[in-house]
Amino acid sequence: MSKQKNKPRRPAAVTPASPCPCGRAGTYRDCCAPIHQGQAAAPTAERLMRSRYSAFAVGDTAYLLRTWHPTTRPAGLDLEPAQHWTGLDILGTTGGSAFHTEGTVEFRAHYSLHGQADSQYEHSRFVREGGQWVYLDALPSA
């Protein structure tokens, strides 16, 4: 029986007991899962950003669409099954606290696609809609 060396391994599925994909301390069950399941609301724009990253990691398109502003939300969302999200770096934030109605989060999301590591940079805008934080759009690159 031969074994292939250096073959990319598919990451294990995120379980409730897994570390949360968003990068905060704690398990998925105690961090982003309650937000995904509607049992808790993201209190800040950064927490919404983190929960949306985790939703990409677990494949929760319903949550992604639900937390997208209605004026910019696509009709549907198809995730690339070969893309595996591997880490999130928050680079900066403005506003976005419980005392704000808008905020931005600058981040770099790391992933692998067909075994090739890459990342996505974005400076995202978030606003409150009906008292809840939602993703509005990405700011243009400078």
Side-chain angles (χ1 to χ4, degrees):
M1 186 155 121
S2 67
K3 292 185 179 180
Q4 272 188 307
K5 291 186 179 187
N6 299 324
K7 180 180 177 190
R9 295 176 62 192
R10 183 180 177 109
V14 175
T15 68
S18 297
C20 194
C22 82
R24 294 181 75 221
T27 63
Y28 174 64
R29 168 187 20 235
D30 296 329
C31 189
C32 286
I35 298 172
H36 292 170
Q37 296 162 0
Q39 299 166 348
T44 65
E46 180 183 337
R47 283 290 282 127
L48 181 68
M49 172 59 231
R50 287 181 178 278
S51 71
R52 286 177 54 83
Y53 173 85
S54 289
F56 276 102
V58 302
D60 190 344
T61 56
Y63 177 78
L64 291 166
L65 291 170
R66 200 168 56 249
T67 58
W68 210 311
H69 194 275
T71 63
T72 57
R73 179 187 314 136
L77 192 58
D78 292 320
L79 302 181
E80 169 59 62
Q83 189 171 33
H84 302 286
W85 297 94
T86 58
L88 176 66
D89 297 322
I90 301 297
L91 305 173
T93 63
T94 60
S97 78
F99 304 105
H100 298 103
T101 57
E102 55 187 54
T104 68
V105 179
E106 184 180 12
F107 68 92
R108 183 168 307 282
H110 302 273
Y111 64 89
S112 67
L113 181 60
H114 304 294
Q116 298 296 311
D118 206 346
S119 66
Q120 172 185 332
Y121 168 84
E122 188 170 308
H123 196 172
S124 300
R125 286 194 309 166
F126 297 87
V127 296
R128 285 199 190 261
E129 178 79 14
Q132 303 295 311
W133 285 106
V134 293
Y135 170 75
L136 180 61
D137 59 12
L139 292 169
S141 296

